[in-house]
Amino acid sequence: MISMKPNIHKLMNETFLYENNGVILEDGMVRYNKPGHTREIAHLGYCHEGRQTAHYYTFGMLLGHLDEQAGLHMLQSISMLQRTDKLDPHYGGFRWYREEKLVNDTNAAFFILRPLVMLYMCHPDVIPASHRTVIHDMLHHAGEWFRKECEDPILYYPNKIVSDGALLLAISYLLNNPYYLEEGIRFFERWEAYTTRRGWGWGENISLVYLSVILNALQIAIKVLVGQQHPLEQQLRFRIQNIYQFLRFQDGEEFVPTIRSYNFSGETKRDDMIWSIAGIVAVDGLQPEKLTMNHLLSLLLFEEELSEAADSPKSLSKPRIWEEPIFDMSSAYYWIGTSSRLGSINRFPVIPGSYQWSDWGLGWQSFPVSFSVTGEQVSFLRWYVDLGDEVRTHPGESYRTSYLAPALFKESFFPDIQTRSAQFEHCLLTVRCMSNLNHYAAEIADEWVIHRYVGVIEEFVTTVEGRPWLLLKYAHTTIAITALNGITSDASERQVMTVEIEHESDRVKLRQVLHTGQAGFVQQPRLETGWAVLSLEHLTQKDDILAYLEEVRIEDLSFADGEVPRTKFADIRQIRLSIAGMEKVHLHLDPHE
């Protein structure tokens, strides 16, 4: 019988049973009657997934739901996904699915082996000798795979490469291989130096989804490094503590803004084991039906560190601010009030070359500008492109629709798409642009997507500036939004933009339309939108709101500097927002930068 706290055992068992209610086990693998996520098998109506089978094996053995023979069959089926020919360029790697013929990416190896390694490191007694033979064989082949990945690492892809490094160290421990230990340490020294010098690559340090993966990887590495008398152990522990501080600031709610999130429906809270690891949500407060076995993996590594009671969130002051460095000069700004949140990334994409390609990209899965209202929704800016025969958006409508079509346009070359923001407390300015556009489209727009909004959007024009504001009214907060100047497809310089209000069945969209007409090629050096957003907490009475907005001034200027050649669309832009004569936020934008 394994040693485990009763409440943790209960949570694991109930989650396992809930997630696997009705699951199909077929020839030693979990079968789904739906397509897999990779392009190779997206047309199929079913798939047998290696990662979920590894999860089932891990918790099935840990909780006593699998006998030795059934578990052995699962491991043997998983092992069939691995490339074992040493001459194969993917030697040691894995396919995601039985139905695949190709190794479609480099991530399947660590995602499939990770639960097996965690079980072996934390609860080896539940693994019979017959199982260990199969696992050892897989780890023997995978050691070379992870060594090669870490030899020439993709440092800007933290969840993937830190997991590769962690598994290399774990294999060194489980197979007693000092060479892999040396190579794993060498990798983490390089990663630590890079992350200290430049930052977190393309930004997974502000991703709830991938921070969980990173935390697990760092904890695996630390468990191997204990007793090695190497400074890396404390350095990685320091990384974990910094992540905890960031999570505690967020207080159990969705990050506003975030990179690499799949929260397309704008939920303000998402259940995740990471909140318990950081001490925000007590284990007894977690709901098994909202968790997955993937979430529970963290319990294998962090069980001893979990406190019985979560820290009281009431100790956190409101309003509060956090500026999180991401990469080089890119950072995220978080403002949390008593009933709303407003946030922005100062420049997105945060790292060149990461926004969109024909088969991958961060544009469709990132939310660089957003606000949320407690208990209501996260609302976010989104690019919208009607291609005539399909619609593509950034962020996407769903994982499944966007994963295989991650670029905004169909052409094999891409416009440069950028977001620039400046924020101070509850005041936000943002400018978004597409440059070098030569693409087929019927409509292009930039829009605020507001799910489940049941109120009436009020419109108000200030008497002094004559500026139109749109007001979203909630019980304790009013969100005020106005358009800044922009460049449309029928203009060569910035002009006053209008905002259209479009109601759909379960959401409302506030839209700046940059191009509309019959489908055809749009050739434009630069399209541009701009927005100002204010979160007016405790202002819910109309007279109070209007009096406040009458004190708001926005200066939006464009000019040439005489230092470099500029056409009108490339003029420098200075935007200042002041309230009652005091400048609150200032956004400087140079299209040449």
Side-chain angles (χ1 to χ4, degrees), residues 27-29 53 72-81 98:
D27 195 20
M29 293 195 75
T53 303
L72 180 62
H73 191 194
M74 281 191 148
L75 286 176
Q76 290 169 337
S77 296
I78 292 170
S79 71
M80 296 299 291
L81 301 176
R98 175 182 289 166

Side-chain angles (χ1 to χ4, degrees), residues 219-407:
Q219 188 76 341
I220 290 171
I222 288 168
K223 283 185 175 293
V224 176
L225 291 170
V226 168
Q228 296 294 327
Q229 303 299 315
H230 196 285
L232 263 177
E233 179 189 344
Q234 289 306 316
Q235 291 168 352
L236 299 186
R237 288 187 188 277
F238 182 71
R239 290 280 175 201
I240 286 180
Q241 291 304 316
N242 284 344
I243 292 172
Y244 286 169
Q245 290 179 15
F246 176 69
L247 290 168
R248 288 165 186 157
F249 172 87
Q250 302 296 344
D251 194 19
E253 294 200 16
E254 173 65 293
F255 306 164
V256 176
T258 183
I259 288 174
R260 299 208 74 198
S261 172
Y262 308 112
N263 188 12
F264 305 114
S265 60
E267 305 300 328
T268 59
K269 286 195 173 185
R270 289 189 292 158
D271 290 78
D272 198 295
M273 192 57 60
I274 198 172
W275 300 121
S276 295
I277 295 171
I280 299 165
V281 178
V283 172
D284 292 344
L286 296 170
Q287 301 179 58
E289 66 274 13
K290 293 186 177 181
L291 297 174
T292 65
M293 291 184 291
N294 187 50
H295 289 133
L296 295 183
L297 287 174
S298 299
L299 284 179
L300 299 178
L301 294 167
F302 291 93
E303 179 186 356
E304 296 177 0
E305 301 182 14
L306 290 176
S307 59
E308 291 300 321
D311 294 336
S312 172
K314 294 181 176 58
S315 63
L316 297 173
S317 63
K318 292 181 180 180
R320 60 183 184 270
I321 294 168
W322 185 288
E323 293 189 60
E324 178 70 8
I326 304 175
F327 185 79
D328 286 353
M329 300 302 292
S330 301
S331 61
Y333 188 101
Y334 296 88
W335 175 84
I336 296 179
T338 56
S339 58
S340 65
R341 299 172 182 231
L342 181 66
S344 56
I345 299 172
N346 68 331
R347 51 191 304 131
F348 183 80
V350 301
I351 189 170
S354 65
Y355 186 84
Q356 63 179 342
W357 297 91
S358 59
D359 57 354
W360 69 277
L362 273 59
W364 69 273
Q365 53 185 307
S366 297
F367 301 72
V369 183
S370 54
F371 67 85
S372 72
V373 177
T374 304
E376 298 288 345
Q377 75 282 112
V378 176
S379 303
F380 48 87
L381 273 179
R382 183 180 80 166
W383 289 112
Y384 173 99
V385 177
D386 183 348
L387 299 175
D389 58 351
E390 69 172 300
V391 169
R392 297 188 182 185
T393 64
H394 281 179
E397 281 287 346
S398 69
Y399 183 96
R400 188 158 294 279
T401 57
S402 297
Y403 181 85
L404 297 178

Side-chain angles (χ1 to χ4, degrees), residues 462-491:
T462 58
T463 57
V464 177
E465 275 197 326
R467 174 171 294 279
W469 289 90
L470 298 176
L471 309 179
L472 284 74
K473 298 178 69 175
Y474 298 88
H476 305 290
T477 301
T478 298
I479 304 295
I481 299 176
T482 188
L484 305 177
N485 295 337
I487 304 173
T488 62
S489 62
D490 57 1

Side-chain angles (χ1 to χ4, degrees), residues 18-36:
Y18 184 86
E19 184 173 0
N20 292 301
N21 182 29
V23 75
I24 301 170
L25 293 178
E26 192 171 79
D27 195 20
M29 293 195 75
V30 172
R31 170 181 169 137
Y32 287 131
N33 289 322
K34 61 182 181 181

